[in-house]
Each structure stands twice: as C-alpha cells, then as structure tokens.
Amino acid sequence: MNNPSRRRFLAVTCATAAAVSAGPTFAKVGNTRTLRMRNLHTGERLNTAFWSGGGFDSSGLKKFNRLLRDHRANEETRIDPKLFELVYKLKEKLGYDGEIEIISGYRSPKTNAMLRSRSSGVAKRSYHTRGMAMDLRMPGIPLSKVRQAALELKLGGVGYYPKSNFVHVDTGPVRRW
C-alpha cells in the first residue's frame, strides 16, 4: 500500500468514479437559464440569462430589475431571484419558448396605493412592492393552463385574473385566489 504508483492509481480511479457518477450534476451546474420578456407598458424587451455558471447572473438580474421597474414612478428594486426561477420552471413545465408578456413587476408603495384606490383586487401589502411578484401571460398558452401549471409547481402564490388576461405569481407562501 505504500507504493506511490498504487496510491496514484487508486486516487485516479476514485476520482474518475466520482466524476462519472456525478455527471448529470455537473451538467446542471454549468447550464444557463434564459428568459425572454416584454414589458407591455414600456414596450421594452429582454432576452438574457438570469442564471449561468452555476449561480445567479448579477448582470442579467440587473437588466431584469430594470425591465420590471415601476414604470409609473421609474423606480427599480431588487427583484427576488427566486421569482425568475419560478417563471423559468413555469415556462419549462408548459414547454413554452416564446416571449413572456409582463403586465406588472415591481410597484412602488405609492403606485400600489394609487392602484388600490382604483381596484379592490390590489392587496395593501402586495408582494409587488417587495419585488417578489409578477403578473404575466404567455401568448399562445391558455391562461387556465398557465394558472394550473403555476399551482402544480407549489412555489408561491398564484392569482387568476381571466377578465384582465393575466396570472399573478409570487414567491410568498403557497396559496391561490
């Protein structure tokens, strides 16, 4: 056992076995996750990665923060990166490769209060004001299917607004309305 070549052989063999058995994990670590979105209020489009090299991509996240800003107040906030994971998993579950239309992302407290004064459907402590919610639709996918897929993911709140033609998703507790 003190033979250096035998120890080297065992080390290489063990390392190779570990790498082979962990192959799929290595494949997942290096993948890139991209979202294509269009903000319906500003007309801005973005097709960029929010995840690359095994972690969240800070440059991509900054671009998404800008896209999802409160367009009324022109205010940005840090959008919860888990929200992009949720939306990515939703599009994957639906087999959707198109552009995701954004109705609402971040809302400043002032904008949220204004919208709340006009509609009973706006929550006082909306997850939009915390950068944890998005109202969206996926053209070509029935809204009811988007809702059902979001519910099945069980990754946060899901609101269904068929009259307004969008689904709300957030990274808060799992719930539905």
Side-chain angles (χ1 to χ4, degrees):
M1 189 80 169
N2 290 333
N3 184 341
S5 62
R6 183 174 177 186
R7 272 188 266 161
R8 172 96 175 121
F9 171 78
L10 289 172
V12 169
T13 302
C14 289
T16 302
V20 168
S21 68
T25 303
F26 283 102
K28 288 181 184 176
V29 169
N31 71 354
T32 299
R33 298 176 198 156
T34 300
L35 291 170
R36 284 194 315 142
M37 295 182 166
R38 179 168 54 113
N39 183 318
L40 294 180
H41 294 285
T42 65
E44 296 167 307
R45 290 183 150 95
L46 185 59
N47 180 9
T48 198
F50 68 90
W51 175 279
S52 63
F56 288 107
D57 182 307
S58 61
S59 173
L61 291 175
K62 285 179 185 176
K63 291 174 185 175
F64 281 111
N65 290 344
R66 179 76 182 147
L67 180 75
L68 297 172
R69 73 188 178 279
D70 178 337
H71 67 279
R72 292 172 182 90
N74 200 30
E75 286 182 33
E76 291 179 38
T77 196
R78 179 189 170 275
I79 303 295
D80 182 359
K82 288 185 260 175
L83 186 59
F84 300 115
E85 262 307 299
L86 186 161
V87 173
Y88 183 82
K89 288 177 181 178
L90 181 59
K91 82 172 194 82
E92 291 293 297
K93 184 172 185 63
L94 291 164
Y96 185 72
D97 197 33
E99 188 174 63
I100 298 165
E101 295 182 343
I102 305 303
I103 290 85
S104 184
Y106 171 67
R107 290 187 208 141
S108 68
K110 183 177 178 180
T111 294
N112 198 68
M114 180 270 295
L115 293 172
R116 193 166 187 276
S117 72
R118 296 179 181 177
S119 170
S120 62
V122 177
K124 186 175 186 175
R125 297 183 209 246
S126 171
Y127 280 98
H128 286 280
T129 64
R130 303 180 210 177
M132 296 170 61
M134 198 181 300
D135 298 338
L136 57 81
R137 61 181 170 237
M138 297 178 182
I141 305 285
L143 210 56
S144 60
K145 281 191 169 191
V146 175
R147 174 186 181 253
Q148 188 57 43
L151 290 170
E152 289 171 7
L153 288 174
K154 296 180 182 173
L155 293 174
V158 179
Y160 185 52
Y161 297 90
K163 289 182 182 174
S164 299
N165 194 24
F166 70 84
V167 172
H168 166 102
V169 293
D170 67 53
T171 56
V174 175
R175 65 211 188 289
R176 67 167 74 192
W177 62 95

